[in-house]
Amino acid sequence: TRIWLIVSNPADILEYRGRFRGHVVQYNYEQGNMNKRPAAPTTIDEYIAGCAPEARPVLEQIRAVVRETAPEAVETIKYGMPTFRLNGNLVFFAAFKTHIGFYPPVGGPAALKKALARYAGPKDSLRFPLAEPMPYELIRRVVTQRVKENAAKAKARAQTKK
């Protein structure tokens, strides 16, 4: 048996669970913001403001490194994460509980890949632990490499259109 309840107070759920033992009970909240998620950020400033206080200075510094390394890059939010675009997606980054995720599938020299190996995460992502010093110079090298890769791709696309 499936029972639907419409409640306006989440505390009511505990009362109703006792009454309908053995049944699948689903709840809808008719009033309040119980089903509403906070609005997704639309700017990098909004994203950083919504992060944990200990992650904010790190995110601001990563943002500054990317801006300094690729001043022509445009800031945006994609997939709910701060994104820099220059001839396509350049880099994404995001704050998590224990690390900063950095999402550039990086190619390039073997020396760079070796330096990144320590931070390798799933699907070509990088995970920089918040408990360790942030490798800003390595981030700068990654952004520089991504600028080169995206410029080469843009040049190749331009040549195929001719």
Side-chain angles (χ1 to χ4, degrees), residues 21-47:
R21 286 203 173 105
H23 300 282
V24 176
V25 180
Q26 295 179 316
Y27 303 94
N28 279 353
Y29 294 97
E30 199 167 70
Q31 297 174 349
N33 291 330
M34 296 305 297
N35 277 341
K36 295 182 181 176
R37 293 183 180 185
T42 57
T43 66
I44 292 180
D45 287 325
E46 288 176 10
Y47 180 88

Side-chain angles (χ1 to χ4, degrees), residues 97-112:
K97 189 174 183 178
T98 59
H99 70 278
I100 300 293
F102 202 70
Y103 304 94
V106 180
L112 179 58

Side-chain angles (χ1 to χ4, degrees), residues 36-112:
K36 295 182 181 176
R37 293 183 180 185
T42 57
T43 66
I44 292 180
D45 287 325
E46 288 176 10
Y47 180 88
I48 292 173
C51 290
E54 58 274 7
R56 289 179 198 154
V58 175
L59 294 170
E60 286 289 359
Q61 186 62 36
I62 290 172
R63 181 186 195 183
V65 167
V66 176
R67 277 182 170 171
E68 185 180 302
T69 309
E72 314 85 28
V74 176
E75 292 185 351
T76 187
I77 297 285
K78 288 190 117 191
Y79 308 109
M81 295 183 286
T83 305
F84 282 84
R85 292 184 49 83
L86 181 63
N87 296 319
N89 293 330
L90 190 61
V91 293
F92 300 84
F93 58 92
F96 294 92
K97 189 174 183 178
T98 59
H99 70 278
I100 300 293
F102 202 70
Y103 304 94
V106 180
L112 179 58

Side-chain angles (χ1 to χ4, degrees), residues 122-139:
K123 297 184 181 178
D124 293 329
S125 69
L126 301 172
R127 288 184 175 190
F128 300 119
L130 285 169
E132 298 176 15
M134 199 59 48
Y136 295 114
E137 277 309 309
L138 186 58
I139 292 170

